[in-house]
Amino acid sequence: MSHSKLSIIGIGEVPTGIYPDRSRWDIIYDTCMAAVKDAGIHKNEVEAVVTVAPQAQPDIYGEISFGKIPEELGLKGCKNVCVCNAGGASTSNCLRLAEQLIESGAARYVLIPHLTVHSTIPLPDLINFFAKAGIDRQWEYPYGQTYNGIVAMMTQRYMHDSGTTAEEMASVVVSLRKWAALDPNSMFYKKEVPSIEKVLASGMVASPLHKRECNVLADGGAAMVVTSAENARARKSPAAFKLGEGSRFFSAFTTTRDYEKTGTDMRDATMEALAQAGLITSDIDIWNVYLAYPVGHPLLMDLLGLCEPGRAGKMFMEGHTAPGGKLPWATIGDAVGRGHTGSGVSIATYVDTARQLMGKAGERQVPDVKYVYQCTSGGSGMNFIASIWGRD
Amino acid sequence: MAQKPVPVMQPWTKDFWTGAKEGKLLVQHCQDCQANIFFPKKVCPECWSQNLTWITSSGRAKVYSFTQMLDMVEPVFWEDLPYVIAFVDMEEGIRMTTRIVNCRMEDICIGMDLEVVFQPLNDEVAMPCFQPADPSLRLAAFSAETDSAEDAAAGALAMAPISYQTIRYETGGENDAICFITLNRPDKFNAINRQMAKELIHAFRRVREEAVVGVVVLAGAGEKAFCTGGDLEIFPSLAEHQSSLNWLAHEGLDVQRAISGCEKVVVCKIHGHCLAGGLEIALACDLLYARESARFGTTEINMGVLPGWGGTARLPRSMPVFRAREIIFSGRKDYTAREIYDMGLLTRVFPDSEFEAAFEKTVANIAAKKPVALRMGKEIMARSVDGCDMETALALERNAIQWLTYAPDTQAMLEPFKADPSQLTRQQKKDSMASDQS
């Protein structure tokens, strides 16, 4: 038995994509009710609602901050409600808040919802938000910097340092899209997986980043019910147990980041999480990496020594990370494969970590999975949170 | 065009921007722990000392990484596309985000040596940008001797033509006096998507800087079409009111404005289909030559709308209004070149077999004229046909000729003839005969 204190016992999710008839509150109702039902508890047993901040959606941000979710859902037992914002790392922090609420005795079951509806945000507002979130208004933005520009520069440098080729970078997209094609909650479910040639033939957005190496903004949502590990064990239902966690903050902006130290910190955070779980990298069955763009994937694989130095790109190219491969990697296909739901890709990754450990992942189910590595990052890569999850 | 975003300053960063305006790159420095600090802060982030000062940077840096921005940027930056953003490591141990200017994209590499150069953003703010430290890698249009704001902008623009994705931009002809801008999406009938609109606007502004160019030839690539208008791929985005209005009023319409406002004579070379927005682009040009097999029309009314890039404004100004109305109301796309010519629109129609040779000869003749005279002629005729009264038009003409006559290069050309005016008469006769086409 592990020293786990937290477990996910219920998950609910709606498909990612553009659904004009599906409102924000439709998503909240559908995901929360599904998660509570999946957990096998009564709605009034939820004692706290800790919501992932709905980025770029100020109206509903306000509604949720001031308690509308427990009100709408009639969660009569709810004692605490709050919103947590750390960009793409919000879900990790929601889980930590939930863990503290549970550990302190303030709540037995905590509901963690998330929703994003990008499609009805007026385009100028959306552009305005993404142009400035995580990009400094004084030292970066006036030069015409964008998220794609930042990632393009990181990709350029990574390819230069590691010798990774454009074809190998494109193969990361292919691998992620292979997972997505099997995922009913992906906007690319059952869609043709692009070939390396097709990825490279898509227009250049910011060299060396092609259109198909960027993310498509989409709507989506998910929810989780969490409880103490002790309670989860007693219930004897499938659950995902948090076994270890490590985190680091780097810098708010990419200009001021020490990239060498960032690499060391990512590795250290991972090793801390593994050490807490009493595991080593070879124990991990699934690497559920959320880093939003292709470059983070081979970079992290290299950093963690999961392949021979400088061979990460080839690991993707040779299919080891794709469904059926020896190193199952990002089983929802990260933001490239799932569709980018702002801070929502992180909760979707956690939900899939739980789904895999609960044995509910359908076609994507990795056989005999015992341990899953999960990571998140917020803003323009301001931080890194690694965690290890297991069946107990 | 919307204003470029200006740096959002803090009281403790204002000195940096004052220095940049004066052509100095300042680095914040802690006098207690000796740290160099970037981004500048209220206190030293290393030791929290407030004993901060500024040192002047050497201005030298190396490229840590870079990217050429080609798409998906905020509209306010579209006019800059493509542009290069980079992380650069300064000698003082700080890293900056900046732009690399005055350099060919293919010459930029990680580790490249750079030096700072300041580009005005507005009257009050200058942005530190970087150019190659090696003068041989700098573009000719942007030398150290000509680092005024206008020249700086020219340097940045000079990077563009090598990077166009949807058009071709070439200069040629006698003395490189002709610029060929070719719509280059032949598999899409050269339909105009957002990228092409941006590139056309950029190209027609860029050509201003080509001092020896007098004529721009606007053509379409491939066999099928000159241009069939706005790409249907844009239509879904037009469902949103603001997006639609922006496309009609700015992003798309600015293409026509860039052409009609271009200071060169723009000659439209038409083959295949010339429809809808494609015809409206042609209408913004100065001279229109068509193959006999070309087909014309405005089809917007078949979708319940109307030509939206000047069609309803320019067609009735280009032919009798009763004919213009038929073209717009009928939605036909099969008007022949001869029909359109007879209705009053085209400059000239040539049989297909003779078209290339006749077109080349016609353009070469016009391109042999002095660019400044062509520019002046274009401008005063545009004002004249826009509806000013006769006396105003005549005054414009008179003053334009006076200006041209006393332009320094005209006077320099006339100088040798002052002693023997009969030589001038002979030269004029010779030039005039060379212009005849028969």
Side-chain angles (χ1 to χ4, degrees):
Chain A
M1 189 177 293
S2 72
H3 300 295
S4 171
K5 292 175 183 165
L6 185 77
S7 66
I8 302 168
I9 59 166
I11 52 176
E13 198 166 20
V14 293
T16 304
I18 308 296
Y19 298 88
D21 295 332
R22 189 176 72 183
S23 73
R24 291 182 169 87
W25 282 98
D26 280 330
I27 293 173
I28 291 174
Y29 273 106
D30 292 351
T31 54
C32 291
M33 289 169 70
V36 170
K37 189 177 171 191
D38 190 47
I41 62 170
H42 188 273
K43 70 177 176 65
N44 293 346
E45 290 182 88
V46 173
E47 291 180 303
V49 179
V50 180
T51 306
V52 177
Q55 297 280 19
Q57 305 162 87
D59 289 346
I60 200 160
Y61 200 148
E63 288 178 331
I64 292 173
S65 299
F66 303 133
K68 197 169 172 182
I69 290 180
E71 166 129 348
E72 286 285 320
L73 293 172
L75 305 181
K76 306 295 184 190
C78 183
K79 298 173 192 167
N80 287 288
V81 59
C82 73
V83 169
C84 174
N85 192 357
S90 300
T91 312
S92 305
N93 288 295
C94 287
L95 284 162
R96 289 160 153 179
L97 286 172
E99 192 169 356
Q100 288 167 18
L101 285 164
I102 291 164
E103 202 175 343
S104 68
R108 186 168 169 83
Y109 296 102
V110 179
L111 177 64
I112 301 176
H114 163 267
L115 82 148
T116 289
V117 178
H118 281 138
S119 60
T120 56
I121 301 173
L123 195 61
D125 292 355
L126 204 58
I127 291 171
N128 202 32
F129 175 79
F130 279 103
K132 300 187 188 87
I135 296 175
D136 190 82
R137 303 278 296 275
Q138 184 169 198
W139 307 107
E140 298 173 333
Y141 176 57
Y143 287 104
Q145 181 62 293
T146 66
Y147 265 97
N148 289 333
I150 287 169
V151 173
M153 286 204 283
M154 290 177 174
T155 306
Q156 185 95 269
R157 185 73 201 197
Y158 173 71
M159 291 170 72
H160 173 267
D161 292 347
S162 66
T164 305
T165 65
E167 288 75 17
E168 287 164 357
M169 290 306 304
S171 72
V172 177
V173 176
V174 175
S175 175
L176 297 174
R177 286 287 298 273
K178 281 183 178 172
W179 286 107
L182 302 175
D183 179 3
N185 288 312
S186 165
M187 69 187 301
F188 296 110
Y189 179 49
K190 290 188 174 174
K191 297 274 172 63
E192 178 198 350
V193 176
S195 62
I196 288 171
E197 293 73 25
K198 200 165 180 179
V199 173
L200 295 179
S202 60
M204 193 72 88
V205 172
S207 61
L209 204 63
H210 299 81
K211 266 190 185 148
R212 286 183 187 275
E213 292 171 304
C214 299
N215 303 313
V216 181
L217 290 181
D219 305 342
M224 300 185 285
V225 171
V226 298
T227 188
S228 67
E230 185 185 9
N231 187 30
R233 279 187 207 104
R235 295 166 49 82
K236 299 190 183 305
S237 299
F241 294 81
K242 183 175 168 183
L243 305 178
E245 189 172 63
S247 60
R248 292 291 186 280
F249 170 75
F250 310 130
S251 66
F253 303 104
T254 51
T255 305
T256 49
R257 195 159 301 155
D258 177 342
Y259 289 97
E260 199 169 318
K261 184 172 181 301
T262 298
T264 307
D265 283 352
M266 288 167 81
R267 189 166 50 236
D268 290 351
T270 296
M271 294 310 158
E272 277 176 21
L274 283 165
Q276 282 176 26
L279 302 173
I280 57 173
T281 54
S282 58
D283 293 323
I284 300 298
D285 300 305
I286 297 174
W287 294 87
N288 251 345
V289 172
Y290 160 51
L291 286 170
Y293 283 86
V295 64
H297 295 270
L299 189 150
L300 185 66
M301 190 186 286
D302 266 335
L303 277 174
L304 300 183
L306 304 180
C307 59
E308 289 173 39
R311 274 192 55 85
K314 290 179 178 56
M315 291 288 285
F316 285 90
M317 189 105 158
E318 290 163 5
H320 301 306
T321 55
K326 65 182 181 186
L327 201 65
W329 191 279
T331 52
I332 64 164
D334 199 4
V336 173
R338 173 52 81 94
H340 204 309
T341 51
S343 51
V345 183
S346 71
I347 194 168
T349 311
Y350 276 107
V351 164
D352 207 54
T353 288
R355 191 184 278 124
Q356 290 280 355
L357 288 165
M358 291 171 171
K360 299 176 181 176
E363 274 190 278
R364 292 174 303 110
Q365 182 67 50
V366 175
D368 305 321
V369 55
K370 282 180 71 182
Y371 300 111
V372 181
Y373 171 88
Q374 153 93 45
C375 69
T376 61
S377 176
S380 48
M382 66 162 176
N383 67 348
F384 184 77
I385 302 177
S387 56
I388 310 295
W389 296 75
R391 287 197 300 211
D392 194 3
Chain B
M1 190 61 67
Q3 290 290 309
K4 287 277 168 54
V6 295
V8 180
M9 299 175 198
Q10 300 292 337
W12 48 88
T13 65
K14 284 190 175 161
D15 286 350
F16 176 93
W17 296 106
T18 303
K21 181 68 182 159
E22 293 167 358
K24 286 186 289 186
L25 183 60
L26 299 180
V27 177
Q28 197 181 35
H29 180 75
C30 175
Q31 299 192 81
D32 287 338
C33 75
Q34 307 305 314
N36 288 337
I37 303 160
F38 193 78
F39 312 152
K41 300 200 166 46
K42 187 174 180 179
V43 299
C44 172
E46 302 295 328
C47 67
W48 278 16
S49 165
Q50 295 188 51
N51 188 14
L52 302 174
T53 186
W54 297 93
I55 58 172
T56 302
S57 162
S58 67
R60 289 190 288 272
K62 283 185 186 294
V63 175
Y64 176 80
S65 193
F66 66 98
T67 180
Q68 186 181 37
M69 304 295 294
L70 292 157
D71 201 355
M72 295 169 77
V73 301
E74 269 199 276
V76 73
F77 293 111
W78 284 357
E79 65 178 344
D80 296 355
L81 287 173
Y83 55 90
V84 175
I85 288 198
F87 288 144
V88 300
D89 289 339
M90 301 293 307
E91 282 189 342
E92 290 76 18
I94 62 166
R95 178 172 295 157
M96 294 181 70
T97 286
T98 185
R99 282 197 193 182
I100 298 178
V101 296
N102 187 23
C103 183
R104 289 183 178 281
M105 178 63 194
E106 56 265 36
D107 289 335
I108 302 173
C109 61
I110 288 171
M112 181 187 197
D113 289 314
L114 302 170
E115 67 175 30
V116 72
V117 60
F118 295 89
Q119 294 211 334
L121 189 62
N122 56 33
D123 291 342
E124 291 164 6
V125 178
M127 301 296 291
C129 296
F130 286 79
Q131 64 178 1
D134 179 350
S136 70
L137 294 177
R138 294 179 202 159
L139 293 174
F142 192 106
S143 68
E145 292 73 38
T146 59
D147 57 355
S148 68
E150 200 170 317
D151 292 331
L157 290 172
M159 296 176 62
I162 56 169
S163 308
Y164 292 136
Q165 297 178 345
T166 63
I167 65 172
R168 293 200 307 263
Y169 181 104
E170 299 139 318
T171 52
E174 184 87 17
N175 300 322
D176 276 342
I178 306 171
C179 175
F180 299 91
I181 297 177
T182 307
L183 313 177
N184 193 23
R185 300 180 75 214
D187 55 328
K188 301 280 187 186
F189 295 85
N190 297 315
I192 302 168
N193 60 9
R194 291 186 192 279
Q195 181 70 20
M196 185 186 279
K198 282 183 284 188
E199 291 180 0
L200 282 170
I201 292 165
H202 191 274
F204 275 96
R205 287 181 179 151
R206 166 75 186 101
V207 77
R208 285 181 193 162
E209 311 302 327
E210 310 267 16
V212 298
V213 168
V215 173
V216 177
V217 171
L218 179 64
E223 301 294 319
K224 294 183 286 194
F226 163 68
C227 176
T228 55
D231 193 323
L232 291 175
E233 73 181 30
I234 289 169
F235 273 51
S237 69
L238 302 187
E240 203 272 312
H241 177 66
Q242 190 63 44
S243 172
S244 174
L245 192 59
N246 285 347
W247 177 244
L248 288 170
H250 304 300
E251 302 145 11
L253 190 63
D254 282 348
V255 176
Q256 335 298 310
R257 291 195 179 110
I259 296 171
S260 61
C262 177
E263 289 146 353
K264 316 294 182 182
V265 171
V266 183
V267 183
C268 193
K269 184 183 184 187
I270 303 167
H271 75 287
H273 300 289
C274 177
L275 303 174
L279 177 55
E280 291 175 293
I281 277 193
L283 285 166
C285 299
D286 300 303
L287 296 162
L288 285 69
Y289 295 95
R291 282 178 186 253
E292 206 161 35
S293 60
R295 293 292 180 270
F296 298 79
T298 58
T299 53
E300 289 87 349
I301 201 160
N302 300 329
M303 293 191 293
V305 292
L306 292 167
W309 285 346
T312 64
R314 287 202 174 95
L315 262 183
R317 283 169 167 77
S318 307
M319 59 175 63
V321 68
F322 300 103
R323 300 176 187 179
R325 284 181 186 139
E326 186 194 278
I327 293 173
I328 290 171
F329 292 157
S330 72
R332 282 178 55 189
K333 57 180 174 53
D334 62 347
Y335 283 103
T336 66
R338 286 283 171 209
E339 279 180 286
I340 290 289
Y341 178 80
D342 290 342
M343 291 168 91
L345 176 57
L346 300 170
T347 307
R348 202 173 278 275
V349 178
F350 297 117
D352 286 17
S353 59
E354 301 166 18
F355 181 81
E356 286 298 333
F359 181 81
E360 189 177 330
K361 193 174 173 185
T362 303
V363 170
N365 176 43
I366 297 168
K369 314 307 177 193
K370 286 169 76 69
V372 67
L374 293 171
R375 171 182 174 169
M376 190 67 86
K378 173 169 177 166
E379 184 150 26
I380 62 171
M381 281 192 271
R383 295 294 159 270
S384 188
V385 299
D386 269 354
C388 65
D389 63 82
M390 180 59 80
E391 280 306 318
T392 306
L394 292 173
L396 269 175
E397 177 190 83
R398 184 167 60 246
N399 289 308
I401 295 168
Q402 187 75 354
W403 189 92
L404 286 169
T405 304
Y406 284 91
D409 57 341
T410 309
Q411 285 297 307
M413 189 185 76
L414 290 173
E415 191 62 33
F417 300 122
K418 283 180 180 169
D420 182 3
S422 65
Q423 273 191 37
L424 177 60
T425 309
R426 283 197 294 277
Q427 183 64 39
Q428 281 183 328
K429 192 174 176 183
K430 188 179 159 196
D431 290 344
S432 296
M433 287 179 70
S435 300
D436 292 342
Q437 299 284 294
S438 56

